Amino acid sequence: MVQKGQFLERATLVPVGSEVMEGTTHRGSRAPPLLVIPPRPDEGGGMDHVIAAELVWAAANAGFPTLRFNHRGVGASQGKRGRDLELLADAEAAMQMLLENAGANALAVASLHGGAQVALALQAKHRAVGGLCLVAPALVAPEVLSRVTCPLLVVQGEEDTRLPRAAVSAAVARTGGDLEVIDDAGPTFQRNLPQVGRAVAAWLRRLSGG
């Protein structure tokens, strides 16, 4: 039984053409809903990644609806693992489902690691993305971040050296966004993981206006 103060995720199926992806959702009353994009399949990531679980826990406890999913070919999701265009199509399908379920016309997107590529492509293509959070981004050039046109949050571990901090900071500043550096943490945030959840929940509250 779920006790007061806990949250209940529900299994959901996300159709993509003739195939179906697995996902989990949480209901909430606040806007914007949060879509969590997992690491790319070639990174070995999925929706059960510890950071994804932390993000939806923090968002749900703050009252925001969430959806996280496995790309096609990952976990119980049907189909074969795709590359850039297929991964974007997966994210678009998940986005549409979350918007419909939440009765919203805009949402926030959070990505993990190389999922930043997918999240950036989604934001560039769809005005419905009203906020973008890149957690431990990888496989992207820092200058690409300066092209983001919605509120941007980048969360990096202090010990994460995959993207140069100075270049990321400069690119984020050009968008008017925020860079949150988690002390004593690497790209997986094995230490201080709750700080990531708190940072993203606070960002969602700012997007919602309070």
Side-chain angles (χ1 to χ4, degrees):
M1 178 181 294
V2 177
Q3 303 296 322
K4 183 177 180 180
Q6 293 182 308
F7 73 103
L8 176 64
E9 280 192 292
R10 296 168 174 82
T12 190
L13 299 177
V14 182
V16 189
S18 61
E19 297 168 329
V20 175
M21 299 186 300
E22 66 171 337
T24 60
T25 61
H26 180 270
R27 295 176 182 172
S29 59
R30 302 185 67 177
L34 177 68
L35 173 66
V36 177
I37 297 178
R40 293 172 60 95
D42 50 20
E43 294 179 292
M47 69 177 184
D48 292 327
H49 194 288
V50 64
I51 301 175
E54 177 65 28
L55 295 187
V56 297
W57 185 88
N61 275 277
F64 296 93
T66 70
L67 169 61
R68 53 177 167 155
F69 67 97
N70 274 333
H71 284 290
R72 282 175 287 178
V74 176
S77 290
Q78 296 176 348
K80 296 181 179 180
R81 296 188 179 189
R83 297 191 64 81
D84 295 346
L85 290 178
E86 292 82 8
L87 298 182
L88 176 58
D90 294 347
E92 288 175 320
M95 178 186 73
Q96 292 301 327
M97 171 161 280
L98 179 56
L99 289 172
E100 291 172 8
N101 287 349
N105 55 22
L107 80 169
V109 174
S111 69
L112 313 180
H113 303 307
Q117 291 182 321
V118 182
L120 287 162
L122 189 69
Q123 185 274 324
K125 186 176 178 181
H126 294 279
R127 293 184 179 180
V129 179
L132 184 63
C133 173
L134 308 178
V135 179
L139 306 177
V140 296
E143 58 268 21
V144 173
L145 305 181
S146 64
R147 302 173 193 162
V148 173
T149 57
C150 65
L152 173 65
L153 171 67
V154 175
V155 182
Q156 280 189 306
E158 181 184 28
E159 299 169 4
D160 186 355
T161 60
R162 295 173 302 170
L163 294 184
R165 181 75 41 73
V168 170
S169 178
V172 172
R174 284 194 287 273
T175 73
D178 298 300
L179 171 63
E180 184 84 21
V181 178
I182 306 299
D183 294 337
D184 192 31
T188 60
F189 302 100
Q190 290 181 335
R191 299 183 297 277
N192 299 329
L193 180 61
Q195 291 186 28
V196 180
R198 288 195 292 270
V200 174
W203 174 71
L204 287 171
R205 285 191 288 267
R206 292 196 296 273
L207 291 180
S208 70

